[in-house]
Amino acid sequence: MLDATMIQKCADPSLTPAIVEQFVQRAGSSDPLAVTVKAGGRLILVPKAKTPDEAMELIRQYVGQAVVRVGITQVPAGVGVKDVSELKSDLVHACENLRLGTGMFAKVVRIVAKWYGNPTDRQVFPQIFEDAVYAWKTGEFEGVSVFRAEDPGVSVKMIVPPVVEQDLDTDTDTDTDTDTDTDTAPASSTLKESENSGRVGAAEMRIDLSRIGAK
């Protein structure tokens, strides 16, 4: 479903194809009609949507009452929406979902990188990505609601090689604000001190995530 042509056409240009692929592997779904609904940290079983209309019906039914994630990026539905009538069917179209999801994830990366001081220490970069994925799944990073927070606007150029493949249909414990999650908590609090040894304040940083998965 996710190929080089689609990534080039649809993904946020601030993320490299390798980052986009890794992001979808870690936090997304192989099904563009996938709708995940959670309330109070618990998964709510919903019928599997077979058409875009069925998917949108599920989304409109639960947005505002539960946490709803949609499509190949499992983008949070309803962020910035005041009424369900404002929800667009673009959410369940693969290209538009990828465009929206990667755009939001790029902002999450910038938020995490800013917290780290926009470092150039390469040893910190893999953890920035890990923390960004965790923040995407939970909706929060260091007490900040990442989907509603202001975009710091710092350019982050991320370059990664292929990494260990993971299941596309990852069960994402997610929330648009916050959620109790079983994933490993971000190591931001423990790495903050060591990160300060690197240069900070760079307008752009190159991130080598070759160490991801090498525990």
Side-chain angles (χ1 to χ4, degrees), residues 40-146:
R42 295 186 176 183
L43 182 67
I44 297 177
L45 297 180
V46 297
K48 179 178 175 60
K50 298 179 180 179
T51 66
D53 286 343
E54 289 181 358
M56 289 305 301
E57 184 178 350
L58 282 173
I59 295 167
R60 293 190 178 101
Q61 178 181 349
Y62 287 100
V63 162
Q65 304 178 48
V67 178
V68 182
R69 296 293 187 114
V70 184
I72 61 174
T73 63
Q74 286 293 278
V75 67
V79 175
V81 173
K82 296 181 179 179
D83 188 89
V84 293
S85 63
E86 299 177 24
L87 293 169
K88 298 180 180 180
S89 60
D90 289 353
L91 286 170
V92 293
H93 294 164
C95 182
E96 291 304 317
N97 184 282
L98 185 63
R99 191 188 317 278
L100 178 61
T102 54
M104 294 178 71
F105 181 68
K107 187 188 85 166
V108 173
V109 170
R110 291 190 288 270
I111 290 171
V112 174
K114 181 181 179 181
W115 189 91
Y116 276 93
N118 297 321
T120 56
D121 183 349
R122 295 168 68 87
Q123 293 184 351
V124 182
F125 298 157
Q127 193 60 54
I128 291 176
F129 181 81
E130 291 292 329
D131 283 1
V133 170
Y134 180 87
W136 177 266
K137 291 181 177 182
T138 63
E140 183 175 292
F141 177 72
E142 293 297 321
V144 175
S145 177
V146 292

